[in-house]
Amino acid sequence: MTDVRSNLPLAEEPLTERHKLGWGLAALVVAGNMIGSGVYLLPVSLAPVGSSSLIGWLVAGAGAVTLALVFGALGRLQPDADGLPGFAERGLGRFFGYQTALAFWTACLVGNVAIAVAATGYLGFFWPVLRDPVAATFCNLGIIWLATFAYIVGARTASSLAAVALAIGLAPIVIAVAAGVMAFDPQTFADSWSPSQTPLLQSVPASLAIIFWAFLGVESAAALSVRVKHPGRDVGRASVAGVLLATVIYIAATVAVFGVIPAEVLAQSSSPYADLAARVFGASIAGIVAVCAVIKTIGTVGGWVMLGGETARSAARSGYLPSGFGAGERTPIANPLLGGAIMSVVAVISGQPTLGEQFGMLVGVTAVLSLVVYAICSAALFRMARRSRARITAVVGFLVATAAVAAAAPGYILPTAGFFVVTSLAWWVFLRKSPSRVDPAAGDA
């Protein structure tokens, strides 16, 4: 791999205050990275759980707020840390920094493919041919590379794309909630409470890993800490504000869709909110919902492409990835191009007979990988914190993340375990004796 100085940096490097993100824009990136395919396609994946998934949303929302507080405390404690790997390395050592870097980068890449699948699902509302696996794969690739080129133009461009897409993407949610208010049927909601007749103590915990997919992005402000103007103050603000906004929207949308569409019908959908609008307002409004959903999911891909690229740059800075992925705060064009190539491979090999099945598989693996990263960051906070309040937050965050992993289906846990076995072997063979490159500047938490 050639040295990064021989590559062209992304447009806004080197960083200046003008190019960095204020807490408001960072909060919109957090919310925008969460309010994407999670709200648009997850009702299909949760149809077997039914309207009782509302309990899971409440539990996951409380857990996500706790994790937002964890990342806010980390931002205050280590304001100059370079993203999640920097937090893990400073708290637990280079081995955990390395594992965090590779796990979060992989989660970003795999999750991006899932978001592209969601966008393709809503495009299928207009062009049913996209429900064919081959056509859907080509559409997924086009969306991935559109977002990749936006990141090549610049990280601030990708952030602005995500923020604008969030504003547009809220429109179909407002329409869906309005439709739910107008057409809500308590009997439909009750009949969909537990379609599989599985006890709630089994079905709700099992759904948490999938539901937590919708809250992935809580770490966005922390992962982009080097690009936030005042990370010690603003990472926490942005994280909590983004989570609260997303939680309110998720709960309202869940009640709306399960109160109008029976669970067995919902399970066959590829565009649930467009279908909801069609039932209440007609096909024309449903088309508007589908268009907004496509714009929002593409914007979400842009935000996650940026997170993946910044994580790879941070990993290269610490010596965990080749220098071609970045050096310091510079991000070479090779970084997003390699990320786009890897996502393209994942999009091809993860193909399933239906978009819903492909989405569910990608979501499960991404969620478990990310939850392991959250647990590592919580443990790092516990090691570094000097105040009891921060330590309590760290313990609760660790318990939330590990409990969600433990409740996940084996089909999601086993690939994750295999990933960490491979990365651990690579560490002991190639990086175990590498020197530390960290010079922390302690904050207050």
Side-chain angles (χ1 to χ4, degrees):
M1 190 71 68
T2 58
D3 186 80
V4 69
R5 288 186 294 273
S6 66
N7 292 287
L8 291 174
L10 297 186
E12 76 263 23
E13 303 291 359
L15 288 177
T16 65
E17 286 300 307
R18 181 172 63 86
H19 292 124
K20 291 189 175 184
L21 312 177
W23 83 268
L25 183 55
L28 289 177
V29 171
V30 172
N33 281 353
M34 287 190 287
I35 306 171
S37 60
V39 75
Y40 289 132
L41 203 57
L42 267 186
V44 178
S45 299
L46 292 172
V49 181
S51 53
S52 62
S53 61
L54 177 63
I55 300 174
W57 284 111
L58 292 170
V59 172
V65 169
T66 301
L67 292 170
L69 294 174
V70 167
F71 290 116
L74 285 168
R76 292 191 302 274
L77 191 63
Q78 297 290 338
D80 67 329
D82 197 355
L84 307 191
F87 294 138
E89 181 173 340
R90 293 181 181 192
L92 301 173
R94 281 181 58 77
F95 175 74
F96 286 98
Y98 159 80
Q99 293 285 19
T100 298
L102 267 62
F104 189 64
W105 181 48
T106 302
C108 288
L109 297 177
V110 176
N112 251 330
V113 179
I115 300 169
V117 168
T120 298
Y122 275 86
L123 284 171
F125 181 85
F126 302 103
W127 296 288
V129 67
L130 292 178
R131 295 171 185 173
D132 175 77
V134 175
T137 297
F138 280 106
C139 186
N140 294 339
L141 294 175
I143 292 169
I144 287 168
W145 283 101
L146 175 64
T148 298
F149 289 133
Y151 179 47
I152 288 174
V153 172
R156 188 171 180 85
T157 299
S159 299
S160 299
L161 172 64
V164 170
L166 172 60
I168 295 173
L170 289 178
I173 306 305
V174 172
I175 293 173
V177 171
V181 170
M182 295 177 61
F184 184 83
D185 183 355
Q187 190 60 48
T188 299
F189 189 87
D191 291 342
S192 298
W193 185 249
S194 183
S196 64
Q197 302 301 314
T198 303
L200 294 183
L201 289 178
Q202 296 179 22
S203 63
V204 172
S207 70
L208 285 179
I210 297 177
I211 290 175
F212 251 107
W213 157 263
F215 288 99
L216 301 189
V218 61
E219 75 291 338
S220 299
L224 298 173
S225 57
V226 74
R227 298 186 182 276
V228 176
K229 288 182 180 179
H230 306 290
R233 179 192 68 193
D234 292 346
V235 166
R237 287 183 179 181
S239 298
V240 174
V243 169
L244 291 177
L245 174 60
T247 301
V248 171
I249 291 172
Y250 289 149
I251 291 174
T254 297
V255 172
V257 71
F258 279 106
V260 178
I261 303 177
E264 63 273 13
V265 176
L266 191 62
Q268 305 302 318
S269 175
S270 67
S271 51
Y273 290 102
D275 293 345
L276 172 57
R279 282 174 173 252
V280 180
F281 298 123
S284 58
I285 299 298
I288 294 174
V289 169
V291 168
C292 293
V294 170
I295 294 172
K296 177 62 196 78
T297 48
I298 291 175
T300 302
V301 175
W304 278 95
V305 164
M306 178 174 62
L307 279 184
E310 291 302 303
T311 300
R313 177 198 53 74
S314 172
R317 181 183 190 180
S318 298
Y320 304 143
L321 285 175
S323 61
F325 283 98
E329 295 180 0
R330 295 171 59 85
T331 308
I333 290 179
N335 178 321
L337 290 178
L338 286 169
I342 294 171
M343 287 185 286
S344 298
V345 172
V346 174
V348 172
I349 66 176
S350 67
Q352 299 290 321
T354 68
L355 288 173
E357 291 174 345
Q358 182 179 15
F359 179 81
M361 180 188 66
L362 293 169
V363 161
V365 173
T366 303
V368 172
L369 269 175
S370 299
L371 285 164
V372 172
V373 168
Y374 297 165
I376 292 173
C377 288
S378 297
L381 174 61
F382 184 84
R383 285 287 303 275
M384 291 188 291
R386 294 186 295 274
R387 296 183 179 181
S388 58
R389 181 179 177 181
R391 289 198 167 192
I392 292 172
T393 300
V395 170
V396 177
F398 182 84
L399 292 176
V400 166
T402 53
V405 170
Y412 305 144
I413 295 177
L414 293 178
T416 303
F419 171 87
F420 284 110
V421 168
V422 171
T423 54
S424 296
L425 289 174
W427 168 267
W428 288 103
V429 173
F430 299 110
L431 296 174
R432 179 166 57 93
K433 297 181 179 179
S434 60
S436 175
R437 302 187 184 188
V438 181
D439 183 20
D444 182 30

